[in-house]
């Protein structure tokens, strides 16, 4: 018999009628059905085996995470803590639970790493974890979230949770004892309540937000989450976004407040103060936007702009005959930059300015860090020969030994003591003590925030060197400074005291300055 022929359509082979009919015979159908059942059972078995192995693998992974601990502190790792918290709270069994998520972050831990090295910082973290365990107890679920941040869950009422948060803050307020030494390691604690503040993921985020609000307020305490914190965070993000464009849009500006010699009442210097004129918010205080700039990595560009603008203005004043000392505020971030002193020296050289006519004002808290980084920065500033001033003096924890090592020429007493010194014996005693210490160290003393004649007279009597405050002048533009120095017959000049500039010799009308 001749072989069966095939017909093709578009690449698909079609069987002839005889073969097609045979394919649907009863015997063939039964055989096909049996084969299908066998294949189906085999597939089900394979699927069951695969699913079983997957479940086993998943459970193994979960057990591995649940048993994982942080190698440094011995606490739970973040993944284990989050999984346990979610299982406890985000199921029907957890619906009736009440409790709180405590999120704790060390204050100023960066200084430990910078001053003693990361290996020593790790030892401090381990000591902090042990201290947290002692305060909270062994049964409280606790983890190291990241870096120097910790979290714990307390299944208790609000009062008990707040009490524990307060005890945690108090326990670390005195630092951590390690190898016979005590290291500063204050702690800020944020508290989020369940179920009031959400499920597991929201609790962690909101407790962390509350912790950051404590840090912004100075640290060393605790706070319950408040919805206003999230509003503030949204505003902070908006400010950070706008601040990125502020320099390009020319929204930043410097104003200048004079410093007055206490014995002659003549202007000896001006302090450059940063201002931000926001197109919608108006004038934004530096106290508001500088911390945001530091947090969001914007302080470097802003600090560079301030330095360049102040150097340019100082050169313009020198050219016009106003040979005043110009001061700028230097942030802790700038002090920790290895090339800050080098850039400052290059700027002074390019503008042909004498280093001793330029002042860097550094807050007492930054000056007292006494880490390797800050010591190097101070040494470089001293080598350049710039005038160094310790700002906000009296509100921190100064060390006389540290002050002796700093190449500073000046202390600025914080205005909080100046405001009260006339009527408060303790405030006056602090001012006297600062003046006595400064004379011993050969430092000049500036009193800031002088607003009344009584304050001025008391400071002069005590032997203060320089005065600064609204009694003499508010911060003003560079143009106003020039007009004031010229005794210009304008309402602007007459609103101040131009006689204070009598010893500042003008070599000619500062046309270039007046155009600014």
């Amino acid at each position: 018999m001749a072989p069966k022929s095939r017909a093709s359509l578009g690449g698909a082979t079609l069987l002839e009628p005889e073969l097609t009919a045979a394919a649907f015979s009863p015997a063939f159908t039964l055989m096909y059905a049996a084969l299908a059942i066998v294949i189906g059972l085999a597939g089900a078995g394979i699927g069951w085996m695969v699913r079983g192995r997957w479940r086993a693998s998943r459970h193994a992974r979960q057990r591995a995470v649940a048993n994982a601990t942080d190698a440094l502190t011995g606490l739970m790792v973040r993944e284990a803590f989050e999984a346990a918290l979610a299982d406890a709270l985000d199921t029907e069994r957890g619906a009736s639970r009440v409790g709180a998520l405590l999120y704790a972050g060390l204050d100023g831990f960066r200084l430990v790493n910078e001053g003693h090295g990361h290996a020593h910082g790790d030892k401090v973290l381990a000591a902090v974890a042990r201290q947290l365990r002692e305060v909270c107890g062994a049964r409280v679920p606790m983890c190291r979230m990241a870096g120097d941040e910790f979290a714990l869950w307390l299944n208790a009422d609000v009062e008990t949770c707040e009490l524990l948060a307060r005890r945690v803050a108090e326990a670390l307020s005195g630092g951590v004892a390690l190898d016979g030494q005590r290291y500063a390691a204050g702690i800020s604690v944020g508290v989020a309540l369940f179920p009031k503040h959400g499920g597991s993921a929201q609790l962690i985020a909101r407790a962390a937000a509350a912790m950051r609000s404590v840090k912004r307020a100075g640290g060393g305490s605790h706070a319950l989450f408040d919805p206003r914190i999230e509003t503030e965070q949204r505003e902070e993000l908006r400010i950070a976004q706008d601040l990125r464009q502020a320099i390009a849009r020319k929204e930043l500006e410097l104003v200048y407040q004079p410093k007055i010699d206490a014995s002659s009442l003549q202007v000896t210097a001006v302090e450059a103060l940063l201002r931000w004129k926001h197109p919608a918010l108006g004038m934004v205080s530096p106290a508001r936007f500088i911390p945001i700039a530091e947090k969001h990595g914007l302080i470097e560009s802003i600090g560079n702009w301030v330095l360049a603008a102040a150097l340019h203005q100082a050169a313009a004043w020198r050219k016009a005959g106003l040979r005043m000392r110009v001061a700028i505020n230097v942030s802790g971030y700038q002090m920790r930059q290895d090339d800050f002193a080098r850039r400052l020296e290059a700027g002074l050289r390019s503008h042909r300015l004498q280093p001793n006519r330029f002042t860097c004002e550094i807050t007492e808290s930054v000056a007292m860090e006494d880490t390797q980084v800050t010591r190097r920065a101070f040494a470089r500033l001293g080598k350049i020969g710039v005038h160094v001033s310790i700002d906000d003096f009296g509100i921190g924890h100064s060390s006389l030994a540290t002050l002796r090592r700093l190449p500073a020429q000046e202390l600025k007493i914080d205005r909080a003591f100046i405001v009260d010194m006339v009527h408060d014996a303790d405030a006056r005693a602090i001012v006297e003590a600062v003046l006595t210490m400064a004379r011993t160290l050969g430092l000049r003393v500036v009193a800031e925030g002088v607003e009344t004649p009584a304050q001025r007279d008391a400071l002069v009597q005590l032997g203060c060197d320089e005065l600064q405050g609204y009694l003499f002048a508010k911060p003003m533009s560079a143009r106003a400074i020039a007009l004031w120095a010229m005794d210009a017959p304008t309402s602007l000049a007459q609103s101040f005291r131009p006689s204070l500039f009598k010893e500042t010799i003008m070599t000619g009308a500062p046309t270039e300055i007046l155009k600014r």
Side-chain angles (χ1 to χ4, degrees), residues 22 36 78 195 248 264 350:
R78 177 176 186 143
S264 65
S350 66

Side-chain angles (χ1 to χ4, degrees), residues 451-490:
E451 298 180 354
T452 68
Q455 294 169 353
R456 175 199 62 200
D457 295 343
L459 289 164
V460 170
Q461 182 182 13
L462 290 173
C464 191
D465 298 294
E466 289 184 323
L467 312 174
Q468 185 179 5
Y470 284 9
L471 176 65
F472 307 102
K474 294 181 179 181
M476 64 187 85
S477 67
R479 183 173 184 273
I481 289 284
L483 290 171
W484 194 14
M486 290 173 60
D487 286 352
T490 66

Side-chain angles (χ1 to χ4, degrees), residues 46-61:
I46 293 172
W48 179 83
M49 292 175 61
V50 170
R51 284 193 296 272
R53 290 180 180 178
W54 183 85
R55 289 194 190 99
S57 176
R58 182 187 65 179
H59 291 323
R61 289 195 301 269

Side-chain angles (χ1 to χ4, degrees), residues 107-109 112 124 172-176 182-186:
D107 300 328
F109 180 68
V112 177
V124 171
L172 288 167
S173 62
V176 174
R182 185 161 290 275
Y183 299 90

